[in-house]
Amino acid sequence: MADNDSTNPKQTWKFSQCFGDKGDIENITEADVISTVEFDHTGNYLATGDRGGRVVLFERNESKKGCEYRFHTEFQSHDAEFDYLKSLEIEEKINKIKWCKRQNQAHFLLSTNDKTIKLWKVYEKSIKVVSENNLSDSQGRPPSLLNINSLALPRMTLHDTIIAATPRRIYANAHTYHINSISVNSDGETYISADDLRINLWNLGIADQSFNIVDIKPANMEELTEVITAAEFHPQSCNLFMYSSSKGTIKLADMRERALCDTHSKLFEEWMDPAQHSFFTEITSSISDVRFSYDGRYIVSRDYMTVKIWDVNMEREPVKTISIHEHIRDKLCDTYENDAIFDKFEVVFSGDGKSVMTGSYNNNFMIYPNSVDPKAEETEIVLQADKSAFKAKKVGMPMSIGSGNGLMNNGRNRSPGRAGINMMRRDAEYETIDFKKSILHLSWHPHENSIAIAATNNLFVFSTL
């Protein structure tokens, strides 16, 4: 296997494969747009969910060199519903998929739309048929009822093996507002689900009962100032979890302290000069995604303009701030009018925790090193999940971005600049940005340098293997 160090400067990211019709973006149906993508804990399986409520699973193709996947199975996870009490339609769109650690030959995974979470069992099912019966003998004559030796039991033989998916649990009616996150605990027995105002704790084996562990709903809804945007369990400590808010804060909570975790153990928040506040900073500072590194040492968060990396032991400021959309800061009014400013970009750590990845527009996504050494050379890899990936053999190598082209350490370096491959994203004219081609959902293989990218209705796989 190749060197899996995600910061190795000699590595070249290459396009591996693409699932989808690769057609014109204008002719894509809404139901086919991928809304989430997730590797399992081994990296041998990959799941996607779309706006049509479908879940598609892929498995590693061991017969191929490098990192390639093949279709495993597909099933309808959610259907559109109607809430008659509130006169609201509940979309079938899959918001999140989370794999449960495998305990036997079957796979278990959680999927959720806005209101209902389902636990699915995916397994091989044998189909058997009757090969011999007791209604006739080998010549087709009925057996003699007077001779006991002519009686025989029916015989079943294996006809085929299929991949079946069945819902083992349905966790419903626990959220008033839209579910934005689910996260399985490291104990393998519980998980949390979060909506705008509450976080619930579930036992995987109990579908009709959950415990409310965070509730930020004010007595008077007119006093509401923030909402919960994402939540995740600590990867190693089953008592710790964090959640982010629309105010740009991250709160770390400990379930051992009290049943209702409204008071946090740690608060990660970067101070901002009130003079720099504007109408748009209230929107752009909202955190769209937050993740722990696999060892639990670092936290990465994504808002509209930046990626921030936090040390769990230091709350006062992030150890690194990476500017993503500095080149459109002067055009925020336009992004507000076309609703692009409300796009919720995800961010992920590499399996070794040494890199982070997030998306942007024009089907671009970027990889940055998680280096907190101020003397270390900062690099950026810009890749494109587009038709051009089929033609380019080598699609991305680390490029130095120096100290002054949008990447900031502790907020000190803020001057924009130019650096090779990143010019196509940072210094592009606003008119050339295609806001319909946004990379919102992505996932990194837990043990190697392979990544899965959702680009509208296509799933791209890139690798250094």
Side-chain angles (χ1 to χ4, degrees):
M1 184 174 289
D3 185 357
N4 292 336
D5 185 352
S6 59
T7 62
N8 188 342
K10 297 181 180 180
Q11 288 184 337
T12 301
W13 285 89
K14 301 177 182 179
F15 164 76
S16 293
Q17 60 187 144
C18 176
F19 297 94
D21 59 15
K22 317 171 197 59
D24 186 0
I25 192 172
E26 300 295 336
N27 299 324
I28 296 171
T29 60
E30 184 75 10
D32 292 332
V33 175
I34 298 174
S35 54
T36 186
V37 56
E38 191 80 14
F39 279 105
D40 77 335
H41 298 86
T42 66
N44 293 329
Y45 292 86
L46 179 62
T48 65
D50 62 28
R51 295 186 181 181
R54 296 181 295 267
V55 172
V56 182
L57 304 185
F58 303 90
E59 64 175 340
R60 188 72 171 260
N61 190 353
E62 299 295 348
S63 63
K64 299 286 187 178
K65 292 183 179 180
C67 181
E68 284 199 18
Y69 289 81
R70 61 190 177 195
F71 175 81
H72 186 57
T73 189
E74 174 183 343
F75 57 91
Q76 187 72 28
S77 175
H78 288 72
D79 294 300
E81 302 175 36
F82 191 81
D83 188 336
Y84 292 96
L85 293 177
K86 298 181 179 179
S87 297
L88 292 174
E89 184 178 358
I90 303 172
E91 293 183 345
E92 63 268 40
K93 172 192 170 186
I94 306 298
N95 291 341
K96 294 289 181 181
I97 292 175
K98 294 294 179 182
W99 293 83
C100 301
K101 287 189 177 180
R102 197 170 182 180
Q103 305 292 335
N104 49 41
Q105 293 300 313
H107 297 277
F108 289 88
L109 51 89
L110 291 169
S111 64
T112 183
N113 65 351
D114 287 341
K115 295 293 182 182
T116 304
I117 307 164
K118 295 183 180 182
L119 175 66
W120 288 91
K121 178 183 179 181
V122 181
Y123 60 100
E124 288 190 357
K125 183 179 181 180
S126 299
I127 299 178
K128 295 183 178 180
V129 296
V130 177
S131 60
E132 295 182 26
N133 58 53
N134 57 3
L135 302 178
S136 60
D137 58 17
S138 58
Q139 282 77 35
R141 297 171 300 186
S144 172
L145 299 179
L146 300 177
N147 186 0
I148 192 172
N149 294 325
S150 65
L151 298 178
L153 292 175
R155 293 182 178 272
M156 305 289 291
T157 57
L158 179 65
H159 174 68
D160 195 7
T161 300
I162 63 171
I163 305 299
T166 57
R168 295 302 302 272
R169 302 279 190 278
I170 298 178
Y171 314 89
N173 304 319
H175 285 277
T176 305
Y177 306 97
H178 292 174
I179 299 171
N180 55 49
S181 299
I182 51 176
S183 178
V184 181
N185 201 348
S186 59
D187 62 14
E189 298 179 359
T190 58
Y191 75 93
I192 55 174
S193 58
D195 63 25
D196 289 346
L197 300 180
R198 294 187 176 96
I199 299 177
N200 292 333
L201 175 67
W202 300 83
N203 187 298
L204 284 166
I206 303 173
D208 58 353
Q209 183 179 353
S210 65
F211 298 95
N212 179 229
I213 56 175
V214 173
D215 188 347
I216 65 170
K217 183 179 180 180
N220 184 0
M221 285 294 285
E222 294 181 358
E223 300 174 359
L224 181 67
T225 59
E226 64 178 333
V227 296
I228 298 169
T229 57
E232 185 176 63
F233 264 120
H234 190 279
Q236 297 176 357
S237 301
C238 60
N239 54 289
L240 297 177
F241 70 95
M242 65 176 173
Y243 60 97
S244 58
S245 82
S246 57
K247 279 191 170 182
T249 63
I250 303 170
K251 295 177 180 179
L252 184 69
D254 190 340
M255 293 189 294
R256 296 174 300 184
E257 294 182 354
R258 54 182 57 84
L260 192 62
C261 302
D262 287 347
T263 57
H264 50 270
S265 299
K266 289 188 176 184
L267 174 65
F268 302 90
E269 182 177 17
E270 186 176 27
W271 181 83
M272 179 182 290
D273 186 351
Q276 296 182 352
H277 276 266
S278 68
F279 170 76
F280 296 116
T281 57
E282 296 294 322
I283 302 174
T284 58
S285 62
S286 176
I287 295 176
S288 57
D289 194 21
V290 62
R291 305 285 182 102
F292 280 107
S293 59
Y294 281 84
D295 60 3
R297 173 66 189 277
Y298 295 100
I299 295 171
V300 64
S301 65
R302 173 69 202 267
D303 57 44
Y304 188 72
M305 299 298 291
T306 64
V307 166
K308 293 186 174 82
I309 300 175
W310 301 81
D311 189 321
V312 172
N313 299 320
M314 189 176 75
E315 304 170 58
R316 69 177 185 273
E317 64 180 357
V319 294
K320 178 181 287 187
T321 301
I322 304 168
S323 180
I324 303 298
H325 286 154
E326 193 67 30
H327 59 297
I328 60 175
R329 183 176 293 278
D330 295 335
K331 298 290 186 178
L332 290 179
C333 184
D334 296 325
T335 61
Y336 178 78
E337 291 179 356
N338 64 19
D339 287 339
I341 199 172
F342 299 105
D343 286 338
K344 300 184 184 302
F345 293 92
E346 293 180 2
V347 63
V348 294
F349 273 108
S350 60
D352 58 12
K354 295 181 180 180
S355 300
V356 295
M357 175 174 62
T358 192
S360 184
Y361 296 111
N362 289 340
N363 278 347
N364 291 333
F365 60 98
M366 298 77 64
I367 299 173
Y368 302 95
N370 176 25
S371 172
V372 296
D373 183 1
K375 297 181 181 179
E377 182 183 28
E378 296 296 348
T379 59
E380 176 189 55
I381 300 173
V382 179
L383 302 171
Q384 192 172 46
D386 209 307
K387 294 178 181 179
S388 59
F390 304 108
K391 303 175 183 178
K393 184 178 181 181
K394 295 183 179 182
V395 295
M397 295 185 67
M399 302 293 292
S400 174
I401 56 178
S403 62
N405 62 331
L407 188 144
M408 301 170 282
N409 285 308
N410 296 328
R412 296 186 181 92
N413 301 322
R414 297 181 179 271
S415 58
R418 299 166 180 259
I421 196 169
N422 73 331
M423 288 173 57
M424 71 178 182
R425 176 178 57 83
R426 296 193 185 281
D427 299 315
E429 293 294 333
Y430 178 84
E431 291 73 16
T432 65
I433 299 175
D434 190 343
F435 289 100
K436 292 183 179 180
K437 294 183 177 181
S438 56
I439 302 298
L440 304 178
H441 313 290
L442 29 74
S443 185
W444 199 308
H445 192 289
H447 306 301
E448 64 187 34
N449 280 341
S450 300
I451 52 182
I453 308 295
T456 318
N457 66 323
N458 296 315
L459 176 68
F460 286 82
V461 179
F462 292 83
S463 177
T464 63
L465 301 181

